[in-house]
Amino acid sequence: MGPIIVMSPDSKKAETPGALMEHSAQRGVCGTLPEAECASSPLATSLDDRSSSSGGDEELTNLNWLHENLLQNFTLGCPEAQSSPTPLLNETNSTLLSSSTSAHRVESVKSKPPFSFSLLIYMAIEESPTKSLPVKDIYGWILEHFPYFSSAPAGWKNSVRHNLSLNKCFRKVERSLGKVNGKGSLWCVDPEYRPSLIQALKKQHFPSSHSICLPSAFPASAFSPSRHLFLQGCSLKESDIDAATAMMLLNSTPGLQTDSCDLDSPMDLSRPDSVLVSSDPKQDHNYSSSSFQHCSSSSSSSLCSLDGSGCYPAPARRAGSEGFHSDDDSDEERNTNLHVRQHLLKTKHPRQEDEELQEAAGSLLHLAGVHCGLDLSKRTNYKLEKHRK
DNA sequence: TGTAGGATAAACACAG
DNA sequence: ACTGTGTTTATCCTAC
């Protein structure tokens, strides 16, 4: 992933995507990190301080964007969290909200999301009930959750289509049965590459070194793409995201290790086990490894990029994907997915992995200045201090 | 400095 | 004819 580029929406002619907004309403994205969970934290203070000191929207950081856009736009399927804030939530929340001027918020909404188009597409598709969307709905989802694009320079839709076509993580599904009116096909995520996209999400680079508060109690069910995004709000180094994410999963989802993975079901972002795809950081971060190595030759090097958001297909592959359907994977595809997941799951003993990840991630969080509301932080701090001695 | 990943633009074909 | 969709190519930028 590249840097976060804060573009000037008015630098070019704007699109008129308003009509697409209606798509989003029907999908009930319950995303959702209750904004309160975040606003009450040291992060909130940190963010606020920074935003107030940095001034212009051009200096809005990813974290600002994350906080002010994502955390408020998403509503994760976590109603309990919304109705009953965690102990971490206190009056600081309102303080933060009031201190963040509406103008600033408006500006930050216009800042470009720190996610590649591939990840945006992935999130859109994954949040759809059928795990497949037409391009138009993908537009709509992006517009709904990333208002930046409503005023973004024209061409982002082209980029979306470009990604769909070239990124082999996405596959086209012909609208054959019960053909819905409208053009085009449905697009879905190739199960084979879903873990890699998840890795890409976790790898999402967040520069800066702001602290952030992690809600203390995440219901496992709340682990959705949005949750990912929140976790990524931790200003971990890119190479540390995995460990930190895993650590938080381990702490927030008891029984994770014993939770036998339903290998027959599609990998679901709401399932923590679908996220913790590997215990080896090197392996984890080698997003282009394993299943992506078969990227065949292409006309240009850029067309053979192996990152999850750039797994461009050889023409033959796409040609052969016409029959693909997300709801009815072929045995071969299902087996492939199953094989990958099984391999990843048995990479290391869960308990060993647990301890290693917790320790490593705790240290990383500490180094990154992450103030974590988890009990884990106490343990890791203790370990750190112990280590220092 | 080279490479890779990602974004953007543009052109073109095709279908509704 | 227009619009939306899908594909392809090229170029630029940035991080590593």
Side-chain angles (χ1 to χ4, degrees):
Chain A
M1 274 303 299
I4 289 70
I5 304 169
V6 178
M7 299 170 55
S8 174
D10 51 1
S11 62
K12 295 179 182 178
K13 58 183 180 293
E15 291 232 353
T16 56
L20 293 171
M21 298 298 285
E22 60 196 26
H23 285 281
S24 43
Q26 67 187 13
R27 267 190 306 282
V29 177
C30 45
T32 339
L33 272 173
E35 62 182 84
E37 281 200 11
C38 206
S40 63
S41 65
L43 163 67
T45 305
S46 172
L47 283 173
D48 194 47
D49 290 344
R50 178 181 172 86
S51 60
S52 60
S53 61
S54 59
D57 59 60
E58 292 167 354
E59 298 181 51
L60 288 172
T61 64
N62 296 330
L63 217 49
N64 278 327
W65 176 91
L66 184 80
H67 172 71
E68 299 195 10
N69 292 310
L70 246 174
L71 301 184
Q72 296 180 29
N73 289 335
F74 275 103
T75 31
L76 287 184
C78 185
E80 66 275 19
Q82 290 176 312
S83 57
S84 59
T86 70
L88 280 175
L89 308 180
N90 51 29
E91 64 282 0
T92 314
N93 180 29
S94 57
T95 303
L96 168 80
L97 294 178
S98 61
S99 61
S100 297
T101 66
S102 59
H104 175 87
R105 185 160 305 153
V106 167
E107 289 302 317
S108 68
V109 162
K110 294 178 182 177
S111 58
K112 189 177 184 180
F115 301 96
S116 67
F117 280 108
S118 334
L119 294 179
L120 293 178
I121 296 167
Y122 168 67
M123 289 187 284
I125 294 175
E126 281 298 313
E127 291 223 13
S128 70
T130 59
K131 296 290 184 291
S132 60
L133 285 178
V135 185
K136 198 173 183 180
D137 282 353
I138 294 174
Y139 295 157
W141 187 94
I142 292 175
L143 282 170
E144 177 191 13
H145 295 287
F146 303 91
Y148 159 82
F149 289 103
S150 63
S151 58
W156 69 272
K157 289 180 180 177
N158 190 15
S159 295
V160 169
R161 295 196 305 273
H162 166 85
N163 260 274
L164 285 171
S165 288
L166 266 65
N167 196 322
K168 63 183 181 182
C169 297
F170 306 114
R171 301 178 77 168
K172 195 168 59 176
V173 182
E174 297 297 336
R175 295 202 230 193
S176 51
L177 298 176
K179 185 167 184 174
V180 187
N181 55 349
K183 307 175 187 177
S185 310
L186 296 175
W187 292 88
C188 64
V189 177
D190 189 334
E192 185 179 355
Y193 297 95
R194 186 177 281 115
S196 305
L197 285 164
I198 294 171
Q199 287 298 323
L201 262 178
K202 291 196 292 180
K203 277 181 66 178
Q204 186 64 51
H205 178 61
F206 278 88
S208 85
S209 56
H210 304 295
S211 58
I212 187 171
C213 173
L214 302 172
S216 58
F218 282 115
S221 61
F223 203 95
S224 70
S226 315
R227 167 88 180 279
H228 268 297
L229 307 185
F230 179 81
L231 290 177
Q232 289 160 21
C234 301
S235 53
L236 300 178
K237 297 173 186 175
E238 181 173 348
S239 58
D240 302 332
I241 295 291
D242 260 353
T245 305
M247 176 196 71
M248 284 172 265
L249 286 171
L250 290 168
N251 281 272
S252 60
T253 59
L256 170 62
Q257 283 74 36
T258 58
D259 181 21
S260 60
C261 182
D262 180 8
L263 295 173
D264 289 332
S265 64
M267 186 172 278
D268 187 350
L269 277 176
S270 65
R271 293 173 53 91
D273 55 338
S274 69
V275 177
L276 190 59
V277 294
S278 172
S279 60
D280 183 355
K282 289 179 181 177
Q283 211 171 22
D284 271 359
H285 298 161
N286 186 10
Y287 187 43
S288 58
S289 64
S290 67
S291 57
F292 305 116
Q293 297 299 337
H294 63 272
C295 182
S296 49
S297 62
S298 184
S299 58
S300 79
S301 61
S302 66
L303 292 181
C304 198
S305 54
L306 295 172
D307 186 280
S309 47
C311 312
Y312 297 123
R317 171 183 170 80
R318 183 158 296 283
S321 68
E322 294 302 320
F324 176 85
H325 194 286
S326 61
D327 295 333
D328 185 23
D329 296 345
S330 67
D331 288 344
E332 183 182 356
E333 287 164 339
R334 197 181 301 117
N335 288 337
T336 302
N337 188 26
L338 184 138
H339 173 75
V340 170
R341 294 170 66 185
Q342 283 177 330
H343 170 74
L344 293 172
L345 283 171
K346 63 184 178 185
T347 303
K348 189 178 290 185
H349 190 281
R351 186 165 299 279
Q352 178 189 358
E353 178 183 28
D354 183 357
E355 293 174 358
E356 290 180 8
L357 284 173
Q358 285 193 32
E359 186 159 356
S363 301
L364 295 170
L365 284 171
H366 179 86
L367 290 172
V370 173
H371 302 289
C372 184
L374 302 171
D375 290 338
L376 167 75
S377 62
K378 297 176 183 176
R379 293 199 298 271
T380 53
N381 284 339
Y382 172 76
K383 285 186 178 180
L384 272 173
E385 290 185 5
K386 187 178 178 180
H387 179 69
R388 285 198 207 100
K389 292 176 184 177

